[in-house]
Amino acid sequence: MKRLLYFLLALSCLLCLWGCTEDNDEATANFYYVRDSYLYGQEDGVIAAEARNITEFTNEQDILRAYLTGPEEPSLVSPFPTGTEIVEFLYKGETLYVTLSTHMVTLSKAKQVLACTCFARTAMELTRVKAVYFQTDDTDFARMEPILIERDSILLYDDYNAPAPTEP
């Protein structure tokens, strides 16, 4: 009887320890970039994820600043112009306000929206905010029109068969 008791005790300890393994999901984040060559008619045909190790960063702002360094995967490209920097982050409720450097004004409106969509998709997954509001730094006369990307925006669905957004 004692053997059975010791066996069950050892088995229960093993089962308890099973759930104590390190979770790799906490050590990575998806960074969304533009594909080098668009693949029309399929999921993630324009915007694709790259899993990046984020263990070296201490906060979300540092991770999102690192996002602007661009992808490591050769089949992806950064939608942001070289030199683009984050000037300021501000959280208001469930919205993240991001002020970018004026390098963004060198892009067409469509490319600005594509770049902001990639960034917003990354930020929403990382921070759980429901919207990201983009603007450029006021220090220059050339400004990008503000762009608001909300969690239910059709822009975040990179799939021609994507279901329509629903209310949470």
Side-chain angles (χ1 to χ4, degrees):
M1 185 69 174
K2 278 187 173 181
R3 283 186 189 171
L4 179 62
L5 183 62
Y6 286 126
F7 175 74
L8 290 175
L9 181 62
L11 184 61
S12 66
C13 287
L14 281 174
L15 290 175
C16 289
L17 290 175
W18 187 352
C20 295
T21 59
E22 184 178 323
D23 188 4
N24 271 350
D25 289 343
E26 295 294 322
T28 61
N30 286 325
F31 284 13
Y32 292 90
Y33 295 104
V34 176
R35 287 190 178 278
D36 188 25
S37 299
Y38 298 165
L39 303 171
Y40 295 107
Q42 69 181 42
E43 186 174 356
D44 294 332
V46 177
I47 298 172
E50 174 182 78
R52 295 281 285 273
N53 184 326
I54 58 170
T55 55
E56 66 189 82
F57 303 105
T58 57
N59 59 53
E60 296 162 349
Q61 287 85 4
D62 290 342
I63 297 169
L64 291 172
R65 282 190 171 88
Y67 167 82
L68 289 179
T69 63
E72 295 171 353
E73 176 67 38
S75 65
L76 302 175
V77 294
S78 176
F80 290 90
T82 303
T84 302
E85 296 177 345
I86 297 170
V87 177
E88 183 181 27
F89 285 103
L90 178 64
Y91 289 98
K92 283 187 182 176
E94 296 179 326
T95 302
L96 171 62
Y97 291 82
V98 180
T99 303
L100 298 168
S101 60
T102 54
H103 294 80
M104 289 294 289
V105 299
T106 63
L107 297 176
S108 68
K109 180 68 173 175
K111 296 280 185 179
Q112 288 174 358
V113 171
L114 179 59
C116 291
T117 300
C118 290
F119 188 101
R121 196 166 173 188
T122 301
M124 286 178 187
E125 193 171 299
L126 181 67
T127 66
R128 306 291 186 225
V129 295
K130 291 188 177 178
V132 184
Y133 180 88
F134 297 93
Q135 61 190 10
T136 53
D137 191 8
D138 290 337
T139 60
D140 197 347
F141 69 92
R143 271 190 266 170
M144 171 183 85
E145 286 183 42
I147 297 172
L148 176 66
I149 308 286
E150 296 177 299
R151 184 172 294 281
D152 62 352
S153 171
I154 194 71
L155 294 171
L156 297 175
Y157 294 94
D158 185 16
D159 179 12
Y160 74 110
N161 288 320
T166 58
E167 288 295 316

